[in-house]
Amino acid sequence: MTLEERRQLMPLATRAALASVAMALFLLGLKGFAAWHTRSVAMLGSLADTGLDLLASLVTLYGVRLAATPADHDHRFGHGKAEALAALFQVALITASAAGIAWRAIMALGETQPTQAAEFGIGVSLVAIGATALLLWYQRSVIRRTGSVAIMADNVHYQSDVLLNASVIVAIALDQYAGWHGADPIFGIAIALWLAYGAFQASSNAIDQLMDKEWPDQQRAAFLDVAARQPGLKGIHDFRTRRSGSHDFAQFHMEVDATLTVAAAHDIVEDVEVALRRAFPKVEVLIHLDPEGHVDTDNPLVEADVTPHWFGKRL
């Protein structure tokens, strides 16, 4: 992917983050009035989660804008990991929200006062579900084009909101129509547990990026398959991959016939880069050229014998 193509994709993540902020503001006002009107613990939990959604969306907006900043003298690989940091901040907020909701729900277990205005609370929750579904659809379209980990974490968070609002509807209905007054706090506890589980899941992608985790095996195999089909390539070793924000990075040593001239070998490398760029437009590739049969003696991966083999060489 060229620099110009990347610049064209960058605003997509920013617009998705802005959409999240706008949605959180809308739902915060709507649920705030509904929580006051219905006295529902489940609705209060939904309100608290939306308040943290707003803060998380603001951090996401900052993270994707920072990640879109071009590489500079101090950050030559760019600022993509700002998205992972924003995602981890979201995880902290979700965890705090879950703890607060659980505490309030446990306190409400001993109360006997029922919720009020069930129709209003249910109507608000249905509006919230519809609005959130639209946001999720837009976020997924952006994720498909950019692979933004911050928007991905935000998407996971809003997916939990759909379930949360559905739970509010069931809790209020059981409380007022079925007379089960303990349903509301019980659903509040269930929502808190769901949020805690969502926080655990959302943290995995961010941590993987910060730790420079390798691509999944299927993606690595597909990448190597494209490279292997290029004429003149005799072997690949020291294949390493990582992800930073919406960018992927891959580097490897490529072996060619040792008798080739520098110019001829360079032409082969160029052909490999072009083929990989066409097949994987979001990947930045770095290739080190080696003569066939060359063995690295200063590679810690070789010494530790932790890498697989391909073409009879260490990857």
Side-chain angles (χ1 to χ4, degrees):
M1 178 180 295
T2 65
L3 180 60
E4 182 59 31
E5 289 172 332
R6 286 181 179 175
R7 286 175 177 168
Q8 291 175 0
L9 288 179
M10 292 304 180
L12 289 175
T14 301
R15 288 198 292 268
L18 284 171
S20 296
V21 172
M23 182 63 66
L25 285 170
F26 168 70
L27 293 178
L28 189 67
L30 188 65
K31 291 181 181 180
F33 182 70
W36 171 78
H37 199 59
T38 63
R39 300 184 188 178
S40 166
V41 176
M43 180 63 76
L44 182 63
S46 182
L47 171 64
D49 181 63
T50 300
L52 291 178
D53 281 349
L54 175 59
L55 182 56
S57 294
L58 288 171
V59 172
T60 298
L61 176 60
Y62 175 76
V64 296
R65 288 180 65 86
L66 179 59
T69 305
D72 56 32
H73 181 271
D74 294 324
H75 305 88
R76 297 185 184 273
F77 286 97
H79 301 79
K81 289 188 178 181
E83 291 195 13
L85 294 174
L88 286 181
F89 184 80
Q90 286 194 51
V91 169
L93 291 179
I94 297 170
T95 303
S97 175
I101 294 170
W103 177 82
R104 179 66 185 91
I106 291 172
M107 296 295 293
L109 281 174
E111 300 175 2
T112 58
Q113 185 176 13
T115 58
Q116 301 175 0
E119 294 82 1
F120 181 75
I122 291 172
V124 167
S125 296
L126 288 173
V127 171
I129 289 174
T132 305
L134 288 175
L135 177 63
L136 290 173
W137 172 81
Y138 178 62
Q139 285 181 329
R140 288 194 187 102
S141 68
V142 173
I143 292 170
R144 282 195 298 268
R145 295 191 61 185
T146 67
S148 169
V149 68
I151 301 301
M152 196 179 302
D154 210 33
N155 185 262
V156 171
H157 194 181
Y158 277 102
Q159 286 179 45
S160 69
D161 282 1
V162 173
L163 179 59
L164 188 150
N165 285 294
S167 299
V168 170
I169 292 174
V170 175
I172 293 177
L174 287 174
D175 185 275
Q176 288 206 4
Y177 300 138
W180 184 20
H181 301 318
D184 187 53
I186 289 175
F187 270 85
I189 294 174
I191 289 169
L193 293 174
W194 172 259
L195 289 174
Y197 175 70
F200 173 77
Q201 283 192 316
S203 66
S204 61
N205 282 337
I207 292 175
D208 285 346
Q209 284 203 17
L210 292 174
M211 294 297 293
D212 287 332
K213 183 178 179 179
E214 287 287 327
W215 296 348
D217 290 341
Q218 185 177 3
Q219 185 178 359
R220 284 172 56 89
F223 188 90
L224 288 174
D225 183 62
V226 172
R229 294 198 300 266
Q230 306 314 308
L233 190 150
K234 301 296 185 180
I236 289 177
H237 59 278
D238 293 348
F239 178 44
R240 307 180 192 182
T241 60
R242 66 185 182 90
R243 186 171 180 82
S244 179
S246 58
H247 306 309
D248 283 335
F249 296 86
Q251 65 183 67
F252 56 86
H253 289 218
M254 186 184 96
E255 296 184 15
V256 297
D257 190 331
T259 63
L260 292 177
T261 64
V262 173
H266 180 266
D267 288 342
I268 295 176
V269 172
E270 288 284 308
D271 291 341
V272 172
E273 289 179 342
V274 169
L276 290 172
R277 192 158 49 242
R278 288 174 179 169
F280 302 91
K282 294 182 181 180
V283 179
E284 183 173 319
V285 181
L286 176 64
I287 300 176
H288 177 83
L289 188 62
D290 281 336
E292 185 178 12
H294 174 77
V295 178
D296 290 321
T297 58
D298 58 349
N299 183 355
L301 292 179
V302 173
E303 294 174 2
D305 196 24
V306 297
T307 51
H309 293 71
W310 180 75
F311 270 24
K313 304 296 180 183
R314 297 183 187 274
L315 296 185

